[in-house]
Amino acid sequence: MAAPEILADRSLACRLERAEGLTNAEFVEARARLMPESGAKWISVAGAWAMFDGVDSPWTQTFGLGLIQMPTSAELTVIEDFFKERGARVFHEVSPLADKAILAMLGERGYRPFEMSSVMFLPLSTQVSPRSASGSAVSVRVAGKEEGEIWARTSAEGWSEYKEFAHLMMEMGRVVASAKKNTLFLAELDGRVIGAGGLSIHDGVALFAGASTIPAWRRRGAQRALLEARFQYAREAGCDLAMMCAEPGSSSQRNAERRGFRIAYTRTKWMLAG
């Protein structure tokens, strides 16, 4: 019997946005535990998750605005004040399946769009062709609880060409590694750790994130092996959906589409001017 078709509709968008919102809220909670002086905190207002993880963190923004519930003007003010009181710019990731009235509200309040991202999904009942591991000597395993620092260091080294973000990536890696519901994966070649990836699960949605390979060890199959290992783990955990986000047209998006991911929608990031 064929698996039921999953449509890229509002119901799917709510599941995906909720999974990402809850995952990032857990990262904020992890930072609050590791670095209480950071003031990291998140709140939920009108069905959206607003989170502060530091003024420079990409997690300092909202998720799900106008999707589960359309905010009132007063509720949006509460969200804006949450960021302003902490000295942070106000950012919102907005799905095109959100209430259309949110666009007019943001425009009236002085927001402008400045970034887009592809939100992708894959039904885990889909049989993905095993291109990744064949012919590759790369092995992948779940990292032990004591290997958080190894995972963080490997993950950060995978972004080492972006030297201006080196400190931020190491710090974020440590936060991700300490999040309670995040599962860490390490890719190894000849006994050496060469790549890292993460997986968070919420309500049957497996969010694939944080995958990187040390530059000197790229093109050895680490990314494909990490993807396959996380597919298997998610299926065994009872997930029915995999989720990834990427810059539109990027190599990350192309690689995900080659593995069977479909674009659910293209999300727009809005910034409050001034």
Side-chain angles (χ1 to χ4, degrees), residues 55 81 135 149 166 200 218 226 228 235 247 268:
V55 294
D81 289 345
E149 185 67 15
S200 296
R218 288 177 183 165
L226 282 164
E228 280 296 334
R235 287 191 179 103
E247 181 182 354
T268 304

Side-chain angles (χ1 to χ4, degrees), residues 233-273:
Y233 186 95
R235 287 191 179 103
E236 291 175 355
C239 296
D240 64 312
L241 278 178
M243 173 187 181
M244 290 182 70
C245 297
E247 181 182 354
S250 65
S251 59
S252 294
Q253 177 177 309
R254 292 194 297 272
N255 288 337
E257 288 187 276
R258 290 188 184 105
R259 301 301 300 147
F261 279 87
R262 292 167 49 196
I263 297 174
Y265 48 87
T266 300
R267 197 164 56 186
T268 304
K269 193 167 184 176
W270 296 74
M271 175 175 63
L272 183 60

